Amino acid sequence: MSEQTTQTPQGAEQHEFSAEVGRLLDLVVHALYSEREIFLRELVANAADASDKRRFEALTDASKALPADASIRIHPDKDARLLTISDNGAGMSRDELARNLGTIARSGTRAFGEKLDAAKPEDRPSLIGQFGVGFYAAFMVADKVDVISRQPGSDEAWQWSSDGKGAYTLAPATRETPGTDIILHIKSDADEFLDPWRLRSIVRKWADHISWPITLREGEEDKPANEGTALWRKSKSDITPEQYTEFYRHVSHQFDEPYATLHWRAEGTTEFTSLLFIPGARPFDFMEQSRESKVHLHVRRMFITDEAELLPAWLRFVQGVVDTEDLPLNVSREMLQSTPVLARIRKAVTKRVMTEIKNRSKDAEQAAGFATFWENFGPIVKEGIWEDSEHRQELAALARFRSTHSDDPTTLDDYIGRMKPDQEAIYYLTGDNAEALAASPQLEGFRARGVEVLLLSDPVDGFWPERLSSYQDKTLKSISQSHGDLEKFEAPAPEGEAADLTALIPALKQALGEAVKDVRGTVRLVGSAVVLTSEGGPDLTMQRLMRRSGQTLPSIPPILEINPRHPLIRDLAARAAKGESVADYAQVLLDVARIQDGETLPDATGFAQRLTAMLAASVAI
């Protein structure tokens, strides 16, 4: 730190905090902020604000000109247990110290801001903080705070001191140059904030792109601690692709190339600048991360929070920064998401990202890139079909799906273009595994009739079709709940003679009891003997997902459908017609159908024993 400050306790004046400050200090220290490190953000913001204020005033008063090496300096002293933040800013007089630091919601910056209305836009400084509530965050880590300040053009300096317990003192002091020192007497449990490495990490996280240089004392040397340039505020023509990539990797902590870079300035009712990135690769632990968007919110270059949820959860993979002039920096810094301004920003940013994704989905030259994007983040985007009514149809239009009719992912519009005459539904099948779905017996009848089926294997696929309900006036329908639909389509000539199920169906129902809702013959099967279906309520995949998530479901037994042309069913039908028992076979048929459908058997040991006995009997014959 270049300034030498001499504290002068003689002549100190004792003052009580105003009633508002006395009541609020405990709240600020213990409840207002969720992270103690926030104190440094607040103090650096105030220092940057004071520097901007002096720079603006120097436009009309040359005596207030800033020194060429003006900066914000952070000086930790482990031996003395002091942390000092210094600036070359506008400083405060004795009365301003008492007014701004002794009365809540008073701010030199706020009063100064009223003078800006008549100033030209290019002359207006980028005010960051309001020297009010945020200052008191210092008491989270300090058991005493000294503020020594001198204004440009004045030879007087004053010291404000307090332990944050109801009173403060004002005393004459000495400071060689104009500006302010904030000296924190660090608490015994806050040693980390005397560690230069820890302080540097906080500056990089919260204030890396403040335009004022920030230096950190390490040993006997002041070293740069921030980048000092808000990349997003530069013109796109002044930024290289390499700079974009470097910044993307900085904010995302990834090492890939971004799939898309969105850099724009919004003007109008609400003004803001955005620099957002759609990643080129999915993070390793992406599916285990929280669902909230982590796009950084800045106000006048100062990082405020990454918890403003500037994008909906189904766009949480987007990384970057949104910076606005239209939000204040005050007590509600961590609660800004409830403001109308932020609501308008959210809507505009979401629209812009959606437009980018839609444009890329339609560009034939970018088909390969979009396919990779969808493979990485499609399962997340489809969450929006379930939860976002405003964008549901848009998201459904750009979604990609596996299909029985296409080796490449297909869209719902492509599916509709291939539908059979008079086909009224978009058919789909859900499950846990794409390969298993492609081999499912549920598909046999649809394949035989040339009816296309979408194969949905992402976890969210069990939910969104029900919410979407229809697309382009075509109903979405699970083939596991489409009994009777196949009769609308011409079928190829069947192979084998159909068994008479008159005796078999009642025998199977009696043997299975309440384990099934019904047993019936079906035309949906070609090569398989049995299949499970459901009616009235969630389909079988949805039921499994709901159970896995811990939801309690009423008992919804499945329907067992049997193929009357399968050799096994013909044999069992003959046995039942003779009055022979088919009870053991009934349970094995149900278990086989469960396995085909991806279910876990309720009695795997019993299934193994019955199957082994049947195999032994067949060998003996």
Side-chain angles (χ1 to χ4, degrees), residues 351-557:
K351 181 179 179 181
R352 178 66 179 83
V353 175
M354 274 293 297
T355 298
E356 181 72 18
I357 294 174
K358 286 194 293 185
N359 288 342
R360 287 174 176 256
S361 74
K362 298 173 183 177
D363 190 337
E365 295 182 0
Q366 300 191 51
F370 188 81
T372 300
F373 160 78
W374 193 259
E375 187 69 24
N376 289 332
F377 302 111
I380 308 303
V381 175
K382 283 188 288 186
E383 292 176 9
I385 306 178
W386 165 259
E387 65 191 17
D388 193 331
S389 59
E390 180 179 354
H391 296 95
R392 182 168 293 139
Q393 291 294 324
E394 289 180 277
L395 295 174
L398 63 85
R400 301 294 193 265
F401 309 97
R402 292 182 176 88
S403 163
T404 56
H405 275 40
S406 175
D407 293 331
D408 298 320
T410 189
T411 66
L412 292 178
D413 288 299
D414 291 338
Y415 179 101
I416 291 173
R418 295 190 293 264
M419 286 174 62
K420 286 185 165 295
D422 300 325
Q423 182 178 337
E424 299 175 354
I426 298 172
Y427 294 105
Y428 67 89
L429 178 63
T430 58
D432 299 331
N433 180 278
E435 287 69 28
L437 282 179
S440 173
Q442 300 271 10
L443 297 171
E444 292 176 1
F446 287 84
R447 276 204 174 105
R449 291 162 176 78
V451 179
E452 184 173 5
V453 179
L454 301 177
L455 307 177
L456 313 181
S457 58
D458 294 321
V460 71
D461 289 334
F463 298 89
W464 67 260
E466 178 185 349
R467 187 66 58 86
L468 180 62
S469 180
S470 65
Y471 180 80
Q472 303 288 18
D473 297 326
K474 300 295 183 180
T475 302
L476 273 75
K477 197 167 187 180
S478 170
I479 63 172
S480 68
Q481 296 183 314
S482 302
H483 180 71
D485 281 27
L486 287 178
E487 297 174 0
K488 304 173 185 176
F489 306 108
E490 183 178 354
E495 296 182 6
E497 184 179 348
D500 183 353
L501 304 179
T502 304
L504 179 60
I505 287 178
L508 295 177
K509 287 182 179 180
Q510 182 178 1
L512 297 174
E514 295 182 358
V516 295
K517 179 179 180 180
D518 193 11
V519 179
R520 64 192 181 201
T522 185
V523 296
R524 77 167 65 231
L525 296 173
V526 176
S528 299
V530 291
V531 71
L532 291 179
T533 63
S534 63
E535 286 180 356
D539 68 12
L540 300 176
T541 301
M542 172 72 89
Q543 292 177 38
R544 287 197 297 273
L545 288 171
M546 294 173 72
R547 292 191 195 99
R548 290 174 190 169
S549 65
Q551 298 186 48
T552 302
L553 287 175
S555 177
I556 309 176

Side-chain angles (χ1 to χ4, degrees), residues 71 80 225 336 340 466 511:
S71 62
L336 288 171
E466 178 185 349

Side-chain angles (χ1 to χ4, degrees), residues 19-78:
E20 295 91 341
V21 173
R23 287 195 299 268
L24 189 64
L25 267 174
D26 186 68
L27 174 64
V28 171
V29 174
H30 297 105
L32 182 60
Y33 296 107
S34 57
E35 299 174 82
R36 296 177 87 186
E37 66 182 39
I38 291 293
F39 85 92
L40 190 58
R41 181 191 76 180
E42 299 292 340
L43 299 183
V44 168
N46 290 332
D49 174 32
S51 301
D52 274 340
K53 180 178 179 179
R54 181 175 174 182
R55 181 169 56 187
F56 179 75
E57 290 177 339
L59 295 174
T60 55
D61 186 349
S63 67
K64 295 183 178 182
L66 283 156
D69 61 349
S71 62
I72 299 167
R73 297 165 297 286
I74 302 172
H75 181 184
D77 185 338
K78 289 186 178 181

